[in-house]
Amino acid sequence: MCVAMVDRRSVLQAMVALADTLVDDYDVVEFLYGVTEMCADVLKVTAAGVLLMDPEGELQVVAASSHDMRELEMFEATTGEGPCAEAYRRCEAVEVDDLDREATRWPRLVAKANALGYRSVYARPLRLRSTCIGALNLFRDEAGPFAETQRLAATGLADIASIGILYQRTLNAADVEIAQLRHALESRKLIEQAKGALANLHDVPPDQAFDWLRRFARTKNAKLHEVARQIVQGELSPDDVGPV
């Protein structure tokens, strides 16, 4: 079993790149998608995702590095079954080096993960001091322990994600935290609707449709959730967002 080694320079570059996005009026959902993509890339994992607790006390999927990962994260958020939901509840890291060994503990989760090709997972809580607000989840397509460099880098990226979510705090920190989380969750719903519209129109996989959506937003220097809203509300035609 080959344990993936993480290039420390790449991790530092990723952290700097993420920190540079934390400017006034930044898009928190786009930021979290960037976190998941950088995790998948620099931490040498198959997929990454972010779950957040909404103001009503329910776990929600906010960002994922692939469509398959989003489906698995939605299952965990809905059922409360699995290492990611447990990392949130316990507010501590959960590592499973072979999901098959947890088939009795999480039968439905393990079956779904196996169907998607995932064999191991490392889930890291997102927290502000002692308050847990969600989890950063890393899945791999092979069994075996995570390298110490992967765990350390995941901790750093999880902390940056937490900072990003709570960045625009004011004197009333609690109200701002709720507003940030609500905005992230509402934006995610719009993005999924717009992604689905593009995928259906152009007959392409959801991941491809999402890439087009992000590229269009960047080209127009617009927020991802705003472009998604325009598509969903009919202000922007899906025909205008697609292959060049």
Side-chain angles (χ1 to χ4, degrees), residues 85-134:
E86 186 171 310
Y88 167 77
R89 287 194 298 269
R90 291 164 47 184
C91 205
E92 61 184 46
V94 174
E95 179 177 353
V96 178
D97 58 15
D98 189 345
L99 281 165
D100 287 343
R101 296 176 183 170
E102 305 296 338
T104 301
R105 183 182 183 187
W106 302 314
R108 294 174 298 171
L109 181 281
V110 170
K112 190 168 185 65
N114 281 339
L116 295 173
Y118 300 131
R119 298 292 309 283
S120 57
V121 59
Y122 184 72
R124 187 81 201 177
L126 302 179
R127 57 192 171 194
L128 177 64
R129 301 183 183 88
S130 60
T131 301
C132 195
I133 61 173

mmCIF file of all heavy atoms in Angstrom, residues 85-134:
data_model
loop_
_atom_site.group_PDB
_atom_site.id
_atom_site.type_symbol
_atom_site.label_atom_id
_atom_site.label_comp_id
_atom_site.label_asym_id
_atom_site.label_seq_id
_atom_site.Cartn_x
_atom_site.Cartn_y
_atom_site.Cartn_z
ATOM 1 N N ALA A 85 -20.475 13.143 9.040
ATOM 2 C CA ALA A 85 -21.481 13.586 10.002
ATOM 3 C C ALA A 85 -20.976 13.377 11.429
ATOM 4 O O ALA A 85 -21.219 14.192 12.321
ATOM 5 C CB ALA A 85 -22.786 12.820 9.781
ATOM 6 N N GLU A 86 -20.235 12.295 11.631
ATOM 7 C CA GLU A 86 -19.706 12.022 12.968
ATOM 8 C C GLU A 86 -18.627 13.027 13.353
ATOM 9 O O GLU A 86 -18.544 13.453 14.512
ATOM 10 C CB GLU A 86 -19.149 10.600 13.022
ATOM 11 C CG GLU A 86 -18.710 10.184 14.402
ATOM 12 C CD GLU A 86 -18.375 8.697 14.488
ATOM 13 O OE1 GLU A 86 -19.212 7.877 14.039
ATOM 14 O OE2 GLU A 86 -17.292 8.367 14.983
ATOM 15 N N ALA A 87 -17.793 13.423 12.386
ATOM 16 C CA ALA A 87 -16.758 14.427 12.667
ATOM 17 C C ALA A 87 -17.400 15.729 13.116
ATOM 18 O O ALA A 87 -16.889 16.415 14.010
ATOM 19 C CB ALA A 87 -15.897 14.660 11.428
ATOM 20 N N TYR A 88 -18.535 16.061 12.505
ATOM 21 C CA TYR A 88 -19.244 17.271 12.932
ATOM 22 C C TYR A 88 -19.800 17.100 14.344
ATOM 23 O O TYR A 88 -19.620 17.971 15.199
ATOM 24 C CB TYR A 88 -20.373 17.611 11.956
ATOM 25 C CG TYR A 88 -21.293 18.652 12.538
ATOM 26 C CD1 TYR A 88 -20.921 19.985 12.560
ATOM 27 C CD2 TYR A 88 -22.498 18.286 13.139
ATOM 28 C CE1 TYR A 88 -21.733 20.947 13.158
ATOM 29 C CE2 TYR A 88 -23.314 19.238 13.728
ATOM 30 C CZ TYR A 88 -22.929 20.566 13.729
ATOM 31 O OH TYR A 88 -23.730 21.502 14.331
ATOM 32 N N ARG A 89 -20.488 15.986 14.598
ATOM 33 C CA ARG A 89 -21.126 15.794 15.901
ATOM 34 C C ARG A 89 -20.100 15.762 17.034
ATOM 35 O O ARG A 89 -20.316 16.332 18.105
ATOM 36 C CB ARG A 89 -21.945 14.497 15.896
ATOM 37 C CG ARG A 89 -23.227 14.573 15.100
ATOM 38 C CD ARG A 89 -24.138 13.396 15.413
ATOM 39 N NE ARG A 89 -23.528 12.125 15.063
ATOM 40 C CZ ARG A 89 -23.669 11.522 13.883
ATOM 41 N NH1 ARG A 89 -24.400 12.105 12.933
ATOM 42 N NH2 ARG A 89 -23.100 10.366 13.645
ATOM 43 N N ARG A 90 -18.967 15.094 16.800
ATOM 44 C CA ARG A 90 -17.954 14.972 17.836
ATOM 45 C C ARG A 90 -16.999 16.165 17.874
ATOM 46 O O ARG A 90 -16.249 16.347 18.826
ATOM 47 C CB ARG A 90 -17.151 13.684 17.619
ATOM 48 C CG ARG A 90 -17.965 12.426 17.877
ATOM 49 C CD ARG A 90 -17.309 11.175 17.292
ATOM 50 N NE ARG A 90 -15.897 11.062 17.596
ATOM 51 C CZ ARG A 90 -15.103 10.103 17.128
ATOM 52 N NH1 ARG A 90 -15.616 9.155 16.337
ATOM 53 N NH2 ARG A 90 -13.830 10.052 17.454
ATOM 54 N N CYS A 91 -17.034 16.949 16.790
ATOM 55 C CA CYS A 91 -16.116 18.087 16.625
ATOM 56 C C CYS A 91 -14.665 17.644 16.774
ATOM 57 O O CYS A 91 -13.854 18.306 17.438
ATOM 58 C CB CYS A 91 -16.449 19.208 17.608
ATOM 59 S SG CYS A 91 -15.879 20.838 17.017
ATOM 60 N N GLU A 92 -14.354 16.521 16.147
ATOM 61 C CA GLU A 92 -12.980 16.029 16.115
ATOM 62 C C GLU A 92 -12.794 15.191 14.856
ATOM 63 O O GLU A 92 -13.767 14.725 14.249
ATOM 64 C CB GLU A 92 -12.652 15.192 17.350
ATOM 65 C CG GLU A 92 -13.490 13.960 17.522
ATOM 66 C CD GLU A 92 -13.170 13.224 18.816
ATOM 67 O OE1 GLU A 92 -13.062 13.879 19.872
ATOM 68 O OE2 GLU A 92 -13.048 11.986 18.754
ATOM 69 N N ALA A 93 -11.534 15.042 14.455
ATOM 70 C CA ALA A 93 -11.242 14.333 13.209
ATOM 71 C C ALA A 93 -11.642 12.864 13.290
ATOM 72 O O ALA A 93 -11.540 12.232 14.345
ATOM 73 C CB ALA A 93 -9.758 14.453 12.883
ATOM 74 N N VAL A 94 -12.107 12.338 12.161
ATOM 75 C CA VAL A 94 -12.460 10.921 12.045
ATOM 76 C C VAL A 94 -11.720 10.364 10.836
ATOM 77 O O VAL A 94 -11.859 10.872 9.724
ATOM 78 C CB VAL A 94 -13.978 10.726 11.861
ATOM 79 C CG1 VAL A 94 -14.290 9.251 11.590
ATOM 80 C CG2 VAL A 94 -14.730 11.204 13.094
ATOM 81 N N GLU A 95 -10.914 9.328 11.054
ATOM 82 C CA GLU A 95 -10.188 8.687 9.957
ATOM 83 C C GLU A 95 -10.609 7.231 9.846
ATOM 84 O O GLU A 95 -10.654 6.514 10.847
ATOM 85 C CB GLU A 95 -8.672 8.766 10.166
ATOM 86 C CG GLU A 95 -7.889 8.093 9.043
ATOM 87 C CD GLU A 95 -6.382 8.224 9.189
ATOM 88 O OE1 GLU A 95 -5.934 8.951 10.100
ATOM 89 O OE2 GLU A 95 -5.655 7.595 8.400
ATOM 90 N N VAL A 96 -10.908 6.810 8.640
ATOM 91 C CA VAL A 96 -11.253 5.415 8.373
ATOM 92 C C VAL A 96 -10.367 4.950 7.223
ATOM 93 O O VAL A 96 -10.520 5.410 6.085
ATOM 94 C CB VAL A 96 -12.747 5.257 7.989
ATOM 95 C CG1 VAL A 96 -13.056 3.804 7.683
ATOM 96 C CG2 VAL A 96 -13.646 5.773 9.110
ATOM 97 N N ASP A 97 -9.406 4.062 7.529
ATOM 98 C CA ASP A 97 -8.473 3.653 6.482
ATOM 99 C C ASP A 97 -9.012 2.545 5.590
ATOM 100 O O ASP A 97 -8.428 2.243 4.555
ATOM 101 C CB ASP A 97 -7.120 3.245 7.080
ATOM 102 C CG ASP A 97 -7.233 2.116 8.094
ATOM 103 O OD1 ASP A 97 -8.286 1.449 8.148
ATOM 104 O OD2 ASP A 97 -6.268 1.913 8.844
ATOM 105 N N ASP A 98 -10.144 1.936 5.973
ATOM 106 C CA ASP A 98 -10.792 0.927 5.125
ATOM 107 C C ASP A 98 -12.285 0.944 5.439
ATOM 108 O O ASP A 98 -12.715 0.427 6.466
ATOM 109 C CB ASP A 98 -10.203 -0.457 5.373
ATOM 110 C CG ASP A 98 -10.696 -1.492 4.359
ATOM 111 O OD1 ASP A 98 -11.683 -1.204 3.659
ATOM 112 O OD2 ASP A 98 -10.096 -2.572 4.286
ATOM 113 N N LEU A 99 -13.063 1.541 4.556
ATOM 114 C CA LEU A 99 -14.500 1.671 4.805
ATOM 115 C C LEU A 99 -15.200 0.324 4.914
ATOM 116 O O LEU A 99 -16.215 0.199 5.601
ATOM 117 C CB LEU A 99 -15.140 2.509 3.695
ATOM 118 C CG LEU A 99 -14.958 4.026 3.829
ATOM 119 C CD1 LEU A 99 -15.303 4.729 2.523
ATOM 120 C CD2 LEU A 99 -15.806 4.567 4.966
ATOM 121 N N ASP A 100 -14.682 -0.697 4.246
ATOM 122 C CA ASP A 100 -15.312 -2.015 4.310
ATOM 123 C C ASP A 100 -15.385 -2.544 5.742
ATOM 124 O O ASP A 100 -16.295 -3.304 6.084
ATOM 125 C CB ASP A 100 -14.558 -3.017 3.430
ATOM 126 C CG ASP A 100 -14.804 -2.771 1.945
ATOM 127 O OD1 ASP A 100 -15.786 -2.064 1.629
ATOM 128 O OD2 ASP A 100 -14.021 -3.262 1.119
ATOM 129 N N ARG A 101 -14.432 -2.149 6.573
ATOM 130 C CA ARG A 101 -14.430 -2.613 7.962
ATOM 131 C C ARG A 101 -15.544 -1.964 8.785
ATOM 132 O O ARG A 101 -15.817 -2.412 9.910
ATOM 133 C CB ARG A 101 -13.083 -2.304 8.614
ATOM 134 C CG ARG A 101 -11.904 -3.047 7.977
ATOM 135 C CD ARG A 101 -10.611 -2.612 8.624
ATOM 136 N NE ARG A 101 -9.454 -3.244 7.994
ATOM 137 C CZ ARG A 101 -8.188 -2.909 8.235
ATOM 138 N NH1 ARG A 101 -7.931 -1.945 9.113
ATOM 139 N NH2 ARG A 101 -7.194 -3.520 7.614
ATOM 140 N N GLU A 102 -16.150 -0.916 8.248
ATOM 141 C CA GLU A 102 -17.217 -0.205 8.959
ATOM 142 C C GLU A 102 -18.595 -0.524 8.385
ATOM 143 O O GLU A 102 -19.552 0.212 8.610
ATOM 144 C CB GLU A 102 -16.967 1.306 8.902
ATOM 145 C CG GLU A 102 -15.616 1.739 9.405
ATOM 146 C CD GLU A 102 -15.420 1.453 10.884
ATOM 147 O OE1 GLU A 102 -16.422 1.316 11.610
ATOM 148 O OE2 GLU A 102 -14.255 1.367 11.331
ATOM 149 N N ALA A 103 -18.696 -1.648 7.649
ATOM 150 C CA ALA A 103 -19.967 -1.985 7.000
ATOM 151 C C ALA A 103 -21.081 -2.236 8.000
ATOM 152 O O ALA A 103 -22.254 -1.972 7.719
ATOM 153 C CB ALA A 103 -19.779 -3.208 6.097
ATOM 154 N N THR A 104 -20.758 -2.744 9.168
ATOM 155 C CA THR A 104 -21.780 -2.963 10.193
ATOM 156 C C THR A 104 -22.179 -1.654 10.845
ATOM 157 O O THR A 104 -23.362 -1.426 11.152
ATOM 158 C CB THR A 104 -21.253 -3.931 11.268
ATOM 159 O OG1 THR A 104 -20.897 -5.169 10.649
ATOM 160 C CG2 THR A 104 -22.314 -4.184 12.325
ATOM 161 N N ARG A 105 -21.208 -0.782 11.036
ATOM 162 C CA ARG A 105 -21.451 0.514 11.689
ATOM 163 C C ARG A 105 -22.241 1.469 10.792
ATOM 164 O O ARG A 105 -23.169 2.146 11.251
ATOM 165 C CB ARG A 105 -20.096 1.119 12.044
ATOM 166 C CG ARG A 105 -20.140 2.428 12.789
ATOM 167 C CD ARG A 105 -18.692 2.871 13.008
ATOM 168 N NE ARG A 105 -18.565 4.092 13.779
ATOM 169 C CZ ARG A 105 -17.400 4.716 13.968
ATOM 170 N NH1 ARG A 105 -16.284 4.204 13.453
ATOM 171 N NH2 ARG A 105 -17.348 5.825 14.671
ATOM 172 N N TRP A 106 -21.841 1.535 9.506
ATOM 173 C CA TRP A 106 -22.491 2.439 8.550
ATOM 174 C C TRP A 106 -22.858 1.659 7.283
ATOM 175 O O TRP A 106 -22.255 1.871 6.214
ATOM 176 C CB TRP A 106 -21.562 3.590 8.166
ATOM 177 C CG TRP A 106 -21.064 4.428 9.301
ATOM 178 C CD1 TRP A 106 -21.791 4.936 10.338
ATOM 179 C CD2 TRP A 106 -19.715 4.880 9.507
ATOM 180 N NE1 TRP A 106 -20.999 5.672 11.177
ATOM 181 C CE2 TRP A 106 -19.716 5.666 10.693
ATOM 182 C CE3 TRP A 106 -18.524 4.722 8.811
ATOM 183 C CZ2 TRP A 106 -18.561 6.270 11.187
ATOM 184 C CZ3 TRP A 106 -17.373 5.318 9.298
ATOM 185 C CH2 TRP A 106 -17.394 6.084 10.473
ATOM 186 N N PRO A 107 -23.785 0.743 7.345
ATOM 187 C CA PRO A 107 -24.054 -0.142 6.204
ATOM 188 C C PRO A 107 -24.443 0.584 4.918
ATOM 189 O O PRO A 107 -23.936 0.266 3.834
ATOM 190 C CB PRO A 107 -25.198 -1.031 6.710
ATOM 191 C CG PRO A 107 -25.803 -0.273 7.849
ATOM 192 C CD PRO A 107 -24.682 0.482 8.482
ATOM 193 N N ARG A 108 -25.324 1.566 5.015
ATOM 194 C CA ARG A 108 -25.780 2.253 3.802
ATOM 195 C C ARG A 108 -24.692 3.161 3.233
ATOM 196 O O ARG A 108 -24.493 3.232 2.016
ATOM 197 C CB ARG A 108 -27.041 3.066 4.107
ATOM 198 C CG ARG A 108 -28.255 2.224 4.477
ATOM 199 C CD ARG A 108 -29.414 3.104 4.916
ATOM 200 N NE ARG A 108 -29.088 3.877 6.121
ATOM 201 C CZ ARG A 108 -29.853 4.849 6.618
ATOM 202 N NH1 ARG A 108 -30.990 5.173 6.014
ATOM 203 N NH2 ARG A 108 -29.492 5.488 7.724
ATOM 204 N N LEU A 109 -23.975 3.836 4.121
ATOM 205 C CA LEU A 109 -22.903 4.722 3.680
ATOM 206 C C LEU A 109 -21.798 3.940 2.988
ATOM 207 O O LEU A 109 -21.301 4.334 1.927
ATOM 208 C CB LEU A 109 -22.369 5.508 4.870
ATOM 209 C CG LEU A 109 -21.234 6.542 4.691
ATOM 210 C CD1 LEU A 109 -19.862 5.903 4.586
ATOM 211 C CD2 LEU A 109 -21.501 7.437 3.491
ATOM 212 N N VAL A 110 -21.392 2.829 3.575
ATOM 213 C CA VAL A 110 -20.312 2.033 2.991
ATOM 214 C C VAL A 110 -20.725 1.488 1.631
ATOM 215 O O VAL A 110 -19.933 1.496 0.674
ATOM 216 C CB VAL A 110 -19.906 0.884 3.943
ATOM 217 C CG1 VAL A 110 -18.957 -0.084 3.245
ATOM 218 C CG2 VAL A 110 -19.253 1.454 5.198
ATOM 219 N N ALA A 111 -21.960 1.034 1.508
ATOM 220 C CA ALA A 111 -22.439 0.509 0.226
ATOM 221 C C ALA A 111 -22.415 1.594 -0.849
ATOM 222 O O ALA A 111 -21.983 1.359 -1.990
ATOM 223 C CB ALA A 111 -23.852 -0.051 0.386
ATOM 224 N N LYS A 112 -22.855 2.793 -0.493
ATOM 225 C CA LYS A 112 -22.870 3.892 -1.465
ATOM 226 C C LYS A 112 -21.449 4.332 -1.814
ATOM 227 O O LYS A 112 -21.143 4.607 -2.982
ATOM 228 C CB LYS A 112 -23.667 5.063 -0.906
ATOM 229 C CG LYS A 112 -23.943 6.148 -1.928
ATOM 230 C CD LYS A 112 -24.980 7.125 -1.413
ATOM 231 C CE LYS A 112 -25.349 8.152 -2.502
ATOM 232 N NZ LYS A 112 -26.013 7.523 -3.667
ATOM 233 N N ALA A 113 -20.576 4.405 -0.803
ATOM 234 C CA ALA A 113 -19.190 4.796 -1.054
ATOM 235 C C ALA A 113 -18.495 3.787 -1.971
ATOM 236 O O ALA A 113 -17.769 4.167 -2.901
ATOM 237 C CB ALA A 113 -18.435 4.918 0.263
ATOM 238 N N ASN A 114 -18.727 2.507 -1.723
ATOM 239 C CA ASN A 114 -18.133 1.473 -2.566
ATOM 240 C C ASN A 114 -18.625 1.581 -4.005
ATOM 241 O O ASN A 114 -17.856 1.401 -4.959
ATOM 242 C CB ASN A 114 -18.458 0.081 -2.014
ATOM 243 C CG ASN A 114 -17.567 -0.289 -0.841
ATOM 244 O OD1 ASN A 114 -16.489 0.260 -0.668
ATOM 245 N ND2 ASN A 114 -18.018 -1.229 -0.020
ATOM 246 N N ALA A 115 -19.905 1.877 -4.166
ATOM 247 C CA ALA A 115 -20.472 2.003 -5.506
ATOM 248 C C ALA A 115 -19.830 3.159 -6.277
ATOM 249 O O ALA A 115 -19.725 3.113 -7.507
ATOM 250 C CB ALA A 115 -21.980 2.203 -5.418
ATOM 251 N N LEU A 116 -19.382 4.177 -5.543
ATOM 252 C CA LEU A 116 -18.736 5.331 -6.165
ATOM 253 C C LEU A 116 -17.223 5.176 -6.240
ATOM 254 O O LEU A 116 -16.533 6.050 -6.758
ATOM 255 C CB LEU A 116 -19.081 6.602 -5.383
ATOM 256 C CG LEU A 116 -20.562 7.006 -5.414
ATOM 257 C CD1 LEU A 116 -20.817 8.186 -4.469
ATOM 258 C CD2 LEU A 116 -20.993 7.366 -6.828
ATOM 259 N N GLY A 117 -16.700 4.077 -5.691
ATOM 260 C CA GLY A 117 -15.266 3.807 -5.778
ATOM 261 C C GLY A 117 -14.429 4.344 -4.646
ATOM 262 O O GLY A 117 -13.191 4.343 -4.723
ATOM 263 N N TYR A 118 -15.050 4.793 -3.547
ATOM 264 C CA TYR A 118 -14.294 5.330 -2.416
ATOM 265 C C TYR A 118 -14.003 4.226 -1.404
ATOM 266 O O TYR A 118 -14.882 3.438 -1.067
ATOM 267 C CB TYR A 118 -15.066 6.455 -1.733
ATOM 268 C CG TYR A 118 -15.374 7.624 -2.645
ATOM 269 C CD1 TYR A 118 -16.656 8.163 -2.725
ATOM 270 C CD2 TYR A 118 -14.376 8.188 -3.434
ATOM 271 C CE1 TYR A 118 -16.933 9.236 -3.563
ATOM 272 C CE2 TYR A 118 -14.647 9.257 -4.274
ATOM 273 C CZ TYR A 118 -15.933 9.771 -4.332
ATOM 274 O OH TYR A 118 -16.203 10.832 -5.160
ATOM 275 N N ARG A 119 -12.768 4.204 -0.883
ATOM 276 C CA ARG A 119 -12.358 3.137 0.034
ATOM 277 C C ARG A 119 -11.913 3.643 1.400
ATOM 278 O O ARG A 119 -11.898 2.875 2.366
ATOM 279 C CB ARG A 119 -11.207 2.337 -0.590
ATOM 280 C CG ARG A 119 -11.551 1.625 -1.888
ATOM 281 C CD ARG A 119 -12.533 0.489 -1.639
ATOM 282 N NE ARG A 119 -12.082 -0.376 -0.575
ATOM 283 C CZ ARG A 119 -11.122 -1.301 -0.699
ATOM 284 N NH1 ARG A 119 -10.495 -1.467 -1.849
ATOM 285 N NH2 ARG A 119 -10.804 -2.071 0.335
ATOM 286 N N SER A 120 -11.507 4.905 1.515
ATOM 287 C CA SER A 120 -11.047 5.436 2.799
ATOM 288 C C SER A 120 -11.417 6.908 2.882
ATOM 289 O O SER A 120 -11.699 7.560 1.871
ATOM 290 C CB SER A 120 -9.534 5.245 2.968
ATOM 291 O OG SER A 120 -8.825 5.859 1.906
ATOM 292 N N VAL A 121 -11.414 7.446 4.127
ATOM 293 C CA VAL A 121 -11.858 8.823 4.313
ATOM 294 C C VAL A 121 -11.170 9.454 5.524
ATOM 295 O O VAL A 121 -10.846 8.768 6.497
ATOM 296 C CB VAL A 121 -13.394 8.874 4.501
ATOM 297 C CG1 VAL A 121 -13.831 8.055 5.698
ATOM 298 C CG2 VAL A 121 -13.895 10.310 4.663
ATOM 299 N N TYR A 122 -10.951 10.762 5.417
ATOM 300 C CA TYR A 122 -10.480 11.553 6.549
ATOM 301 C C TYR A 122 -11.394 12.771 6.639
ATOM 302 O O TYR A 122 -11.483 13.567 5.696
ATOM 303 C CB TYR A 122 -9.031 11.993 6.361
ATOM 304 C CG TYR A 122 -8.462 12.748 7.544
ATOM 305 C CD1 TYR A 122 -8.169 12.089 8.724
ATOM 306 C CD2 TYR A 122 -8.223 14.128 7.474
ATOM 307 C CE1 TYR A 122 -7.645 12.774 9.824
ATOM 308 C CE2 TYR A 122 -7.702 14.817 8.559
ATOM 309 C CZ TYR A 122 -7.417 14.135 9.732
ATOM 310 O OH TYR A 122 -6.904 14.814 10.823
ATOM 311 N N ALA A 123 -12.097 12.907 7.746
ATOM 312 C CA ALA A 123 -13.039 14.009 7.944
ATOM 313 C C ALA A 123 -12.524 14.925 9.042
ATOM 314 O O ALA A 123 -12.198 14.458 10.136
ATOM 315 C CB ALA A 123 -14.418 13.464 8.300
ATOM 316 N N ARG A 124 -12.480 16.205 8.734
ATOM 317 C CA ARG A 124 -11.938 17.189 9.676
ATOM 318 C C ARG A 124 -13.004 18.231 9.998
ATOM 319 O O ARG A 124 -13.605 18.807 9.090
ATOM 320 C CB ARG A 124 -10.733 17.886 9.040
ATOM 321 C CG ARG A 124 -9.992 18.816 9.986
ATOM 322 C CD ARG A 124 -9.049 18.057 10.870
ATOM 323 N NE ARG A 124 -8.728 18.835 12.064
ATOM 324 C CZ ARG A 124 -7.950 18.385 13.050
ATOM 325 N NH1 ARG A 124 -7.433 17.170 12.972
ATOM 326 N NH2 ARG A 124 -7.698 19.120 14.096
ATOM 327 N N PRO A 125 -13.294 18.488 11.275
ATOM 328 C CA PRO A 125 -14.331 19.470 11.609
ATOM 329 C C PRO A 125 -13.914 20.891 11.241
ATOM 330 O O PRO A 125 -12.734 21.235 11.268
ATOM 331 C CB PRO A 125 -14.487 19.320 13.131
ATOM 332 C CG PRO A 125 -13.169 18.785 13.599
ATOM 333 C CD PRO A 125 -12.692 17.897 12.489
ATOM 334 N N LEU A 126 -14.891 21.698 10.872
ATOM 335 C CA LEU A 126 -14.708 23.132 10.704
ATOM 336 C C LEU A 126 -15.237 23.774 11.979
ATOM 337 O O LEU A 126 -16.389 23.549 12.345
ATOM 338 C CB LEU A 126 -15.487 23.649 9.492
ATOM 339 C CG LEU A 126 -15.172 23.017 8.143
ATOM 340 C CD1 LEU A 126 -16.052 23.630 7.060
ATOM 341 C CD2 LEU A 126 -13.698 23.176 7.790
ATOM 342 N N ARG A 127 -14.437 24.569 12.635
ATOM 343 C CA ARG A 127 -14.887 25.107 13.906
ATOM 344 C C ARG A 127 -14.331 26.497 14.167
ATOM 345 O O ARG A 127 -13.295 26.885 13.647
ATOM 346 C CB ARG A 127 -14.498 24.179 15.053
ATOM 347 C CG ARG A 127 -13.029 23.875 15.165
ATOM 348 C CD ARG A 127 -12.794 22.725 16.136
ATOM 349 N NE ARG A 127 -11.432 22.266 16.130
ATOM 350 C CZ ARG A 127 -11.038 21.123 16.681
ATOM 351 N NH1 ARG A 127 -11.923 20.353 17.292
ATOM 352 N NH2 ARG A 127 -9.775 20.757 16.645
ATOM 353 N N LEU A 128 -15.081 27.211 14.970
ATOM 354 C CA LEU A 128 -14.657 28.500 15.481
ATOM 355 C C LEU A 128 -14.526 28.346 16.984
ATOM 356 O O LEU A 128 -15.519 28.195 17.695
ATOM 357 C CB LEU A 128 -15.683 29.584 15.148
ATOM 358 C CG LEU A 128 -15.371 30.979 15.705
ATOM 359 C CD1 LEU A 128 -14.095 31.528 15.074
ATOM 360 C CD2 LEU A 128 -16.535 31.919 15.474
ATOM 361 N N ARG A 129 -13.276 28.306 17.450
ATOM 362 C CA ARG A 129 -12.991 27.992 18.846
ATOM 363 C C ARG A 129 -13.615 26.630 19.179
ATOM 364 O O ARG A 129 -13.241 25.637 18.583
ATOM 365 C CB ARG A 129 -13.479 29.110 19.762
ATOM 366 C CG ARG A 129 -12.831 30.468 19.455
ATOM 367 C CD ARG A 129 -13.290 31.536 20.429
ATOM 368 N NE ARG A 129 -12.721 32.828 20.079
ATOM 369 C CZ ARG A 129 -13.285 33.688 19.238
ATOM 370 N NH1 ARG A 129 -14.447 33.398 18.689
ATOM 371 N NH2 ARG A 129 -12.699 34.830 18.966
ATOM 372 N N SER A 130 -14.554 26.591 20.115
ATOM 373 C CA SER A 130 -15.127 25.297 20.493
ATOM 374 C C SER A 130 -16.427 24.992 19.757
ATOM 375 O O SER A 130 -17.035 23.949 19.988
ATOM 376 C CB SER A 130 -15.398 25.268 22.006
ATOM 377 O OG SER A 130 -16.315 26.289 22.367
ATOM 378 N N THR A 131 -16.862 25.894 18.871
ATOM 379 C CA THR A 131 -18.117 25.705 18.148
ATOM 380 C C THR A 131 -17.861 25.082 16.786
ATOM 381 O O THR A 131 -17.119 25.639 15.970
ATOM 382 C CB THR A 131 -18.844 27.049 17.965
ATOM 383 O OG1 THR A 131 -19.115 27.617 19.243
ATOM 384 C CG2 THR A 131 -20.159 26.846 17.217
ATOM 385 N N CYS A 132 -18.457 23.936 16.542
ATOM 386 C CA CYS A 132 -18.288 23.250 15.266
ATOM 387 C C CYS A 132 -19.369 23.735 14.302
ATOM 388 O O CYS A 132 -20.557 23.751 14.641
ATOM 389 C CB CYS A 132 -18.390 21.739 15.470
ATOM 390 S SG CYS A 132 -17.782 20.799 14.057
ATOM 391 N N ILE A 133 -18.974 24.138 13.096
ATOM 392 C CA ILE A 133 -19.931 24.656 12.121
ATOM 393 C C ILE A 133 -20.070 23.750 10.903
ATOM 394 O O ILE A 133 -20.921 23.994 10.045
ATOM 395 C CB ILE A 133 -19.531 26.070 11.660
ATOM 396 C CG1 ILE A 133 -18.153 26.049 10.997
ATOM 397 C CG2 ILE A 133 -19.563 27.039 12.824
ATOM 398 C CD1 ILE A 133 -17.756 27.375 10.373
ATOM 399 N N GLY A 134 -19.267 22.700 10.813
ATOM 400 C CA GLY A 134 -19.356 21.809 9.664
ATOM 401 C C GLY A 134 -18.180 20.859 9.621
ATOM 402 O O GLY A 134 -17.519 20.610 10.639
#
